[in-house]
Amino acid sequence: MERVRMRMIISADWHLRATRPRCRVDNDWIETQKKALRQIVEIAVKKNAPIMVVGDLFHSNSDTSFECINMVQKLADRLGSLYILAGNHDLPYHSSENIDKSAIGVLLNSGCVKPIKYFIDNWEDAIGDEINYSASNFDEPDNENAEIVFKHTLTIPSEDKPDFVDCETPESLLRKFPKAKWVFTGDYHRNFHYEKNGRHVVNSGCLLRQTSDFKDYQCGVYFVDTNKNIVDFIPIIDNEELIDDSYIIKENEREKRIDDFVSKLKSTKSVSLDFLANVEAMMERNGFEPELKEVVEELLEA
């Protein structure tokens, strides 16, 4: 296993998109994404290491503009060392058969980015050793005898894994790839590094926070030197003030008002055949607040 000697920037789940996520209040969402990519470039140049994106470069093909594709092209042109896997969000109908119908397919066919296996093949030629690896797109078969693995699959640390979620854990991946010293994953948006007996599972998490529950989360990438067993987390600056969760609070309050209304409606004893009259009478009897009345009226008009 010691013959695998690589220096890399491990990243994943960029989810580049034209439309600003609901939780963001950026004046220019495209510029926010460009700033994050520039930070990754600076890190890669400083560390003199290529960038590996372990899936979900784009959020969806329907929300990928020419500007998003150009962002990646410019990054790749500057570095000359951007390597990718296709994740489930990158592939129409989650199938590698449709890669030529995708934005990521445009980039791969243009030659400005390369598949991760291209990097490993060239590294193998450079060091004169044969590297047994697995680096497949989202739905392609794995090489379970691999010594180094890149895989876009939902992997959650055991202590955080909900009982109802079907996913891998670091332990299950290391059992699946018994010869692997290094496993790099994408799809789970929170970063972690798991190490046991000199074997590593590294998940870089998302590039930018795109949902309100990530407001306090620190995005970043990992610098990895497999020869020296170095795994360093490097933060990506993403202004917390640009994350807005007020709409979640409003929705929760609205749902509570609806639940209150339903409960009170069920408890009403005197009922006529006129539904609207029943509702209005019930609201009067129970002294509904104006806000709750407004919600009820919206429901009645829908």
Side-chain angles (χ1 to χ4, degrees):
M1 293 186 187
E2 290 303 318
R3 57 190 174 172
V4 178
R5 301 181 290 273
M6 297 182 181
R7 291 164 56 89
M8 297 168 286
I9 304 300
I10 300 296
S11 186
D13 296 287
W14 290 8
H15 288 272
L16 300 177
R17 58 200 290 190
T19 304
R20 184 179 65 188
R22 188 177 182 185
C23 72
R24 304 287 308 206
V25 295
D26 314 62
N27 290 328
D28 189 336
W29 171 241
I30 292 294
E31 182 58 28
T32 294
Q33 294 174 101
K34 287 180 179 178
K35 287 179 179 178
L37 296 188
R38 286 196 286 268
Q39 290 180 66
I40 295 182
V41 169
E42 291 172 3
I43 293 167
V45 170
K46 182 177 180 180
K47 294 293 187 179
N48 189 27
I51 299 170
M52 308 286 161
V53 184
V54 193
D56 284 354
L57 189 71
F58 298 109
H59 186 65
S60 71
N61 285 285
S62 62
D63 197 15
T64 300
S65 64
F66 291 118
E67 200 165 7
C68 292
I69 295 174
N70 284 330
M71 280 193 285
V72 180
Q73 284 183 318
K74 289 177 180 178
L75 183 154
D77 288 344
R78 178 173 175 185
L79 290 175
S81 54
L82 180 62
Y83 302 90
I84 61 175
L85 290 181
N88 53 310
H89 279 257
D90 294 312
L91 298 168
Y93 304 105
H94 295 181
S95 173
S96 291
E97 293 181 359
N98 297 319
I99 197 164
D100 285 340
K101 301 175 183 178
S102 69
I104 204 170
V106 171
L107 292 170
L108 287 167
N109 290 327
S110 73
C112 68
V113 303
K114 304 288 186 184
I116 288 177
K117 61 184 180 181
Y118 179 89
F119 167 78
I120 301 176
D121 288 340
N122 280 271
W123 188 271
E124 179 180 298
D125 291 341
I127 67 175
D129 284 339
E130 181 179 350
I131 301 172
N132 196 354
Y133 68 88
S134 183
S136 55
N137 289 332
F138 168 69
D139 59 340
E140 294 177 340
D142 301 310
N143 171 11
E144 296 188 359
N145 293 315
E147 298 170 276
I148 184 168
V149 176
F150 295 85
K151 185 172 178 62
H152 189 81
T153 186
L154 183 62
T155 306
I156 302 177
S158 298
E159 62 271 20
D160 298 332
K161 180 182 177 298
D163 293 336
F164 56 86
V165 175
D166 183 19
C167 67
E168 300 283 1
T169 64
E171 295 89 346
S172 70
L173 277 180
L174 292 179
R175 288 194 298 270
K176 184 174 184 179
F177 298 97
K179 297 182 180 179
K181 182 175 179 180
W182 295 93
V183 180
F184 302 106
T185 60
D187 200 29
Y188 183 53
H189 285 193
R190 295 184 181 272
N191 49 60
F192 68 83
H193 168 217
Y194 174 89
E195 186 272 332
K196 186 174 182 180
N197 298 328
R199 305 175 71 203
H200 304 261
V201 177
V202 180
N203 186 88
S204 67
C206 56
L207 175 65
L208 290 168
R209 294 168 292 183
Q210 298 196 28
T211 56
S212 60
D213 57 328
F214 276 66
K215 186 168 185 175
D216 299 325
Y217 172 73
Q218 177 60 68
C219 301
V221 299
Y222 282 98
F223 167 68
V224 174
D225 186 323
T226 66
N227 190 41
K228 297 181 179 179
N229 285 321
I230 294 174
V231 181
D232 287 340
F233 179 73
I234 303 174
I236 295 294
I237 298 172
D238 183 23
N239 189 350
E240 182 180 328
E241 294 178 357
L242 297 176
I243 311 299
D244 176 30
D245 59 0
S246 61
Y247 71 94
I248 296 293
I249 297 172
K250 290 179 180 177
E251 286 183 353
N252 290 339
E253 291 175 347
R254 184 175 187 273
E255 288 178 6
K256 184 179 183 304
R257 291 197 297 270
I258 292 173
D259 289 341
D260 289 344
F261 161 69
V262 172
S263 297
K264 289 181 178 180
L265 189 62
K266 287 180 178 178
S267 66
T268 300
K269 294 182 179 179
S270 60
V271 179
S272 77
L273 297 178
D274 188 332
F275 175 74
L276 295 179
N278 285 335
V279 173
E280 291 175 358
M282 185 274 295
M283 288 193 293
E284 288 298 324
R285 282 194 302 272
N286 290 279
F288 273 35
E289 297 177 356
E291 294 83 1
L292 183 53
K293 285 186 177 180
E294 184 178 337
V295 172
V296 174
E297 290 169 357
E298 287 181 15
L299 292 172
L300 293 175
E301 291 174 1

